[in-house]
C-alpha cells in the first residue's frame, strides 16, 4: 500500500513545520473579515497556529496574527480563538486514548 504524503504547514507563532491536522487556520477574506477556519478551505489569506493554548496566548500578547494578516484584531477574537483551541486540545486528549 502506498504511503500518502502528510501536508505540512508552518505555525506563524513558533515557526515550526507541523502536520496540517495539528494546526488551526485563521482566514482573512478579501473584504478584510478574519475568522477561524476549522475546515482549512475558506477562501482568502490564511495563517496557521498550533492547537496549543500557550501558542495562542503568545500570539495574543505579541499581536502576531495582526501583523501576519495585516489587520487589527480585537481581544474578543483572540479570546474566541483561545477558547476554540483549548476545546480542541481537550477533545484530542479525550479521544486519542481510544
Amino acid at each position: 500500500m502506498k504511503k500518502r504524503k502528510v501536508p505540512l504547514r508552518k505555525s506563524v507563532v513558533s515557526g515550526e513545520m507541523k502536520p496540517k491536522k495539528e494546526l488551526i487556520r485563521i482566514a482573512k477574506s478579501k473584504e478584510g473579515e478574519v475568522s477561524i477556519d476549522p475546515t482549512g478551505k475558506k477562501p482568502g489569506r490564511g495563517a496557521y497556529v498550533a492547537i496549543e493554548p500557550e501558542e495562542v496566548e503568545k500570539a495574543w500578547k505579541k499581536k502576531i496574527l495582526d501583523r501576519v494578516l495585516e489587520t487589527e484584531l480585537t481581544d474578543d477574537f483572540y479570546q474566541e480563538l483561545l477558547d476554540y483551541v483549548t476545546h480542541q486540545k481537550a477533545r484530542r486528549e479525550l479521544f486519542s486514548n481510544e
Side-chain angles (χ1 to χ4, degrees):
M1 189 144 162
K2 194 174 182 183
K3 209 172 193 184
R4 294 184 86 180
K5 191 174 89 174
V6 177
L8 297 174
R9 296 292 182 268
K10 187 184 230 179
S11 168
V12 294
V13 179
S14 67
E16 282 182 66
M17 293 293 283
K18 293 186 174 189
K20 195 174 173 184
K21 287 187 174 192
E22 292 179 18
L23 301 166
I24 186 71
R25 182 174 186 257
I26 290 86
K28 179 185 174 189
S29 68
K30 284 186 176 168
E31 294 79 37
E33 192 178 309
V34 178
S35 60
I36 298 169
D37 182 8
T39 62
K41 295 178 181 174
K42 283 187 181 177
R45 176 104 173 100
Y48 290 87
V49 179
I51 300 180
E52 292 293 332
E54 302 82 38
E55 214 167 283
V56 174
E57 287 169 358
K58 185 177 178 183
W60 191 354
K61 193 166 68 177
K62 296 187 174 188
K63 300 285 185 187
I64 293 171
L65 290 171
D66 294 44
R67 230 175 318 145
V68 172
L69 297 172
E70 299 172 350
T71 187
E72 203 166 304
L73 298 172
T74 63
D75 285 345
D76 291 340
F77 177 80
Y78 278 109
Q79 187 61 53
E80 181 186 343
L81 179 61
L82 183 61
D83 294 342
Y84 181 81
V85 166
T86 305
H87 176 75
Q88 289 300 321
K89 185 174 169 84
R91 282 192 66 195
R92 283 202 172 169
E93 289 170 359
L94 186 66
F95 295 114
S96 66
N97 297 334
E98 292 178 6

